[in-house]
Amino acid sequence: MKDKILDTAANKIQMHGLKKFTIDEIAKDLKISKKTIYKYFNSKDAIVEEFFKTVVESDKKNMENSLSHQNDFISKIHSIIYSNHKYKIPINLINEAKIYYPKEWGKIQELKQYKLGAIKKLLEEGVSSGVIRQDINLPILIKMLEQTADTFLDYNFLMDNKMKFSEAIQEVLKIILYGISIK
């Protein structure tokens, strides 16, 4: 029942946002009482906390699983950046979490740092194996990636440029991996 409640809550969160979904809506959709929900979650905030916990854990697990099945450098980069998680998080939810749920926003930041760590390790391996040029300054590249990730977590930037998060990331990868000059 706990998973059904969380799945229903995730749908409501995706539709209405973190602040606007209600326990009443979840109870109505599941045809259960609010009391039943409170057996599993002591508050709406506890549901939001579990939602983000599930997203982060499933993203890490899927990323690690995908990395273990990839051989080439580009596929591994994609595995890190595009790993899936159990529930979708529209970009506006990240901004909402930053404002109203700083602890959960912190979990997203920890996930970002985890992914950046995986990318750093992969880049270091790429330099060692000769896939990446030896003269690339990895700390600069990592900082660029970190700052870029922060930019793309900015809902207004994406809306102003009529881009989805995945499209923006794809453009960054194209620039980093293939450069900007015509050869």
Side-chain angles (χ1 to χ4, degrees):
M1 180 54 68
K2 183 177 181 179
D3 288 339
K4 286 182 180 181
I5 294 168
L6 191 57
D7 289 345
T8 302
N11 288 332
K12 297 297 177 190
I13 289 169
Q14 290 164 357
M15 286 181 5
H16 304 296
L18 296 169
K19 294 296 283 180
K20 293 183 181 176
F21 84 95
T22 67
I23 300 291
D24 287 328
E25 291 173 324
I26 296 167
K28 183 180 175 185
D29 282 8
L30 291 173
K31 297 177 177 56
I32 59 174
S33 69
K34 287 173 34 175
K35 186 177 179 180
T36 301
I37 293 172
Y38 288 121
K39 285 182 186 177
Y40 298 95
F41 298 98
N42 62 11
S43 67
K44 178 179 168 178
D45 289 346
I47 293 172
V48 170
E49 183 177 337
E50 189 67 22
F51 171 80
F52 278 95
K53 178 183 172 193
T54 301
V55 165
V56 169
E57 288 175 358
S58 64
D59 195 306
K60 285 180 180 179
K61 182 180 175 184
N62 287 335
M63 183 188 90
E64 294 295 335
N65 185 43
S66 184
L67 278 174
S68 69
H69 291 89
Q70 301 299 330
N71 294 323
D72 68 286
F73 179 78
I74 301 294
S75 295
K76 286 184 177 188
I77 288 282
H78 281 273
S79 292
I80 294 168
I81 293 173
Y82 295 113
S83 59
N84 295 318
H85 35 266
K86 184 171 182 177
Y87 304 118
K88 298 289 182 203
I89 300 183
I91 198 73
N92 60 319
L93 282 186
I94 293 174
N95 286 339
E96 193 177 353
K98 185 176 183 179
I99 295 167
Y100 299 110
Y101 293 94
K103 183 179 170 188
E104 280 60 45
W105 183 77
K107 291 176 185 174
I108 296 298
Q109 293 303 305
E110 288 173 17
L111 177 61
K112 181 184 81 171
Q113 290 304 317
Y114 180 80
K115 287 178 172 257
L116 285 170
I119 289 172
K120 180 181 178 186
K121 181 180 174 188
L122 184 60
L123 292 171
E124 289 168 346
E125 290 170 3
V127 168
S128 296
S129 67
V131 174
I132 297 175
R133 293 187 351 231
Q134 297 284 324
D135 65 333
I136 296 297
N137 185 317
L138 289 183
I140 295 285
L141 180 54
I142 294 294
K143 188 65 173 175
M144 286 170 51
L145 292 170
E146 182 177 9
Q147 294 299 312
T148 300
D150 287 341
T151 298
F152 296 146
L153 292 177
D154 178 353
Y155 179 72
N156 293 327
F157 173 84
L158 294 173
M159 291 290 91
D160 290 347
N161 291 285
K162 296 176 178 69
M163 294 181 109
K164 294 179 185 173
F165 178 77
S166 59
E167 293 168 337
I169 292 295
Q170 188 61 40
E171 288 301 313
V172 168
L173 284 177
K174 184 169 65 175
I175 292 167
I176 289 174
L177 295 174
Y178 306 112
I180 61 170
S181 65
I182 299 172
K183 296 180 182 180

